[in-house]
Amino acid sequence: MEAGEPGRPYGSWPSPITAALAASFDGRPEYVGTVGGEVWWTEPRPAEGGRRALVRLRADGGPAEAVLPAPWNVRSRVVEYGGRPWTGAPGDRGPLVVFVHFADQRLYAYQPDLPGSRPRPLTPLSGTGGGLRWADPVLRGTEVWCVLEEFTGPAPTDVRRVLAAVPLDGTAAEDRSAIRELTGGQHRFTTGPRLSPDGRRAAWLVWDHPRMPWDGTELKLAEVTEAGELSAVRTVLGGPAEAVAQAEWAPDGSLLAVSDRSGWWNPYRVDPATGEAVNLCPREEEFGGPLWKTGLTWLAPLPGGAFPAEGPGGGPVAVLHGQGASVLGILDPETGDLVDAAGPWTAWQPTLAVAGSRVYGVAASPRSGYEVVELDTATGRARVVGGQRPQPVDPSYYPEPQSRTFLGPDDREIHAHVYPPHHPARRAPADELPPFVVWAHGGPTDHVPPVLDLHIAYFTSRGIGVVEVNYGGSTGYGRAYRERLREQWGVVDVEDCAAVARALAAEGTADPDRLAIRGGSAGGWTAAASLAATDLYACGTIIYPVLDLLGFAEETHDLESRYIDGLAGPPETLAVRCRERSPLARADRITAPFVLLQGLDDVVCPPAQAERFLAALRGRSVPHAYLPFEGEGHGFRRADTMVRALEAELALYVQTFGITRDDVPRVELRT
C-alpha cells in the first residue's frame, strides 16, 4: 500500500491491465514442428481479425517471423475445433510447407525462400468439392497424406472422414478425382497417419459414435505398399473402454502410444505383430489428454544418442506428464527413469517437436504466458525461443494462484486454483471481504492449469477474486475422476463449483453475498445451470453456452452430436434429463442478473439456444443483457469482441456488487 493511501473497497482498485491489453495477449502458440533445423508454429493475431499466423524461427538464430502476411490464416476446421494445419520439409531450394487456409479450407503448398513464390492450391474449393476440409498432414514423396473431412448433405452430421493422399503437383486443385482415398470411411473419426521411419507402415487412431475420443479409440496399423496403398489394416491397441490419445514411431522403428488402460494415460511400447503393450512409465499421472483436435502430441521420441541415460533398446522420449498440469520430462524407456526439464514453467500444452537433441514445446507459468521453449537434452538447458511477448505491465499486478483441494458432497475431492485479489499498492478496508467469481471451464472434458491469464488478472488487479474449478469430469486426474461426470452433467459440475464457493466463503476468503459464476461453452452450461439450481450466486456470466440438452444433441456439430450420451444419458432418457437439468427447461428458477455473450457464427453452441433461453425468460423480470457478436464463432478471437465482452462482464459485477467505478461502460440490464 502506498504511503498515505487509504483503503479502497474491493473492486474499485485502479489497474493498468485494461480489457484491450488482456485481449491483445489472448491465445497461445500451437502446433510446433521442425523443418530441418528450423522451428515453426502457429500463433494468434487478435488485432488482425483473429487470424493464426504461421511463424518461422530460422536456424541462424534471428527473430521469429510470420511466413505469410494477413489475411492468410493457418487454421483447420476439421471437426470444427480443427487439427494440425501444416507440415513442412527442408529442400535444396528452401523449405516446402503445406498448410490449410481457414477462409476456404483448401490445402496450399508454399516455398517461402523462392523469389516470387506464392501459395498454390492443392485441393478444390469447397463449393466445387462437396465441402472439403483437411487436417493433420504429413509429406510422403510426391503426395501429402492427411485427414479428409467431406460434407455430404445439409445437416452437420452429414459427413464422412477418411485418410487421403493429395498430389503436390496441384492437379487436384480443380479435379477432386485426383485425390486418392486411403481408407474407406469405415470409422466416423480419424487422426492423420504417422509413417514409420522406413515408410513401410502407417499408424493412426479411429473412433465412432457414441464414443468420444477419451472414452475409447483404436490404434490402427497398416502396411504401405509400393503403390502407396494401405494393406493388412488391423487394430493393435485400444477399444470401447480404452482411450489411446497418440501413436508415434521411434527412430528405431518401434511403435509408441499413449493409452489409459491402467486408469491413467501412460506411455507404452506396442508390438506391431502381437499388439502386446508394455507400460514404459507406470505412474498415477497423465502422459496424455483429451483428443479434442487431431495432431496433439504428448510424447516425441528423440534420436538415438541424444541422451546419456539411453538404454540399448531405443532412444529417450520427451513426454508431458503430471496431475492437473503437465511438465516436460525426458523418459528413458528401458529403465523408466524420468528427468524433468528445469525452468519456471508450470504447464505445457500438448505440442512437442524434436530436432536432434533439442525438444520444443509450448509452456507457461504464473508469471509468463504461453511461449515456445527449447530444451537441449545434451546440456539440460531450457530457454525461450519464440512466441513470448514483452511484459505488458509490472508483474507485481499479476495474481499468485493457490492450487488447492476442496471437499464436496460425499467428501469427494475437488481440485481448484484460487486467485485472490491482488494489487501492489492497494488494499481494502480490514472489515471487508472480497467478491469472488467462480470460473467453470469448457469441455467439460478438459481442465485449466495455474498459469498467467490476463483475463483473470483484469479482475484480480481490480479487487475481484477468481477461482477456477476443475470439477469432477475434468481431465488431468485419471479416468475415474474424469468419469465422475458420466450421466451427471448439470449435477456434479454444479455441486462442485458450489462446494468450492461455499468453502471460500466459510473460511473468510470470499464475501458470501458477492459470489458470481462464469463459464464459456460447457462452462456456460454450468454457469446457467448453477443459477437455476441455487441462490448462492448474486449474478453470472454465460458465454456461448449449451442451454438445452435436446437442442444441443440435435443442432451441434458432428463431433459432439453424441457427447450427451455420456454426459446425460442415452437418447431414450434425454427428455427427462433435459427437464431436470437444462437451464432452458428451468429458466423459471433463475432470478439472479446475468450477461449472455454469444457468437452468431457459432456452430458448436448455435445462437438459437441462447434465443430460446431468452424467450423463456420474457416477462419474468430477471435483469440481464444479451450481447451477440457477428463474425464470431465458438471462442472469441477478435480483439474488439474480447474487449467488449470483458467490459460487459466487469460492468455486471460493478452494478450487482455495489462497486463504485467510473472507468467501465455501463451494461444495460433489461428485464
Side-chain angles (χ1 to χ4, degrees), residues 219 236-237 248 250 252-258 261 266-272 274-281 299 311-317 331-335:
L219 171 54
V236 294
L237 195 68
E248 208 72 50
D252 66 356
S254 60
L255 181 60
L256 305 179
V258 178
R261 58 170 45 188
N266 280 184
Y268 290 80
R269 182 186 290 119
V270 182
D271 186 325
T274 65
E276 180 184 358
V278 177
N279 193 333
L280 301 178
C281 192
L299 63 78
V317 183
L331 171 68
D332 181 340
E334 300 308 316
T335 65

Side-chain angles (χ1 to χ4, degrees), residues 137-180:
V138 295
L139 291 169
R140 181 186 180 275
T142 60
E143 296 177 319
V144 55
W145 286 21
C146 56
V147 176
L148 161 60
E149 179 179 80
E150 182 171 21
F151 286 85
T152 58
T157 53
D158 294 336
V159 61
R160 60 190 292 269
R161 298 176 187 88
V162 297
L163 298 184
V166 178
L168 285 169
D169 62 9
T171 53
E174 303 295 336
D175 183 7
R176 167 70 171 81
S177 65
I179 298 167
R180 296 191 305 117

Side-chain angles (χ1 to χ4, degrees), residues 10 38-39 117 123 188 213 235 272 280 323 344 373 456 492 504 522 543 596 610:
Y10 287 112
E38 300 184 353
V39 188
S117 176
T123 55
R188 190 71 169 200
T235 298
L280 301 178
Q323 283 198 30
V373 178
I456 291 176
V492 167
L504 292 176
I543 310 170
L596 175 56

Side-chain angles (χ1 to χ4, degrees), residues 3 12 36-37 173 193 291 310 324 341 388 401 513 546 596 663-664:
S12 67
L291 197 63
E310 176 185 326
Q388 76 273 35
D513 295 324
V546 178
L596 175 56
D663 61 347
V664 59

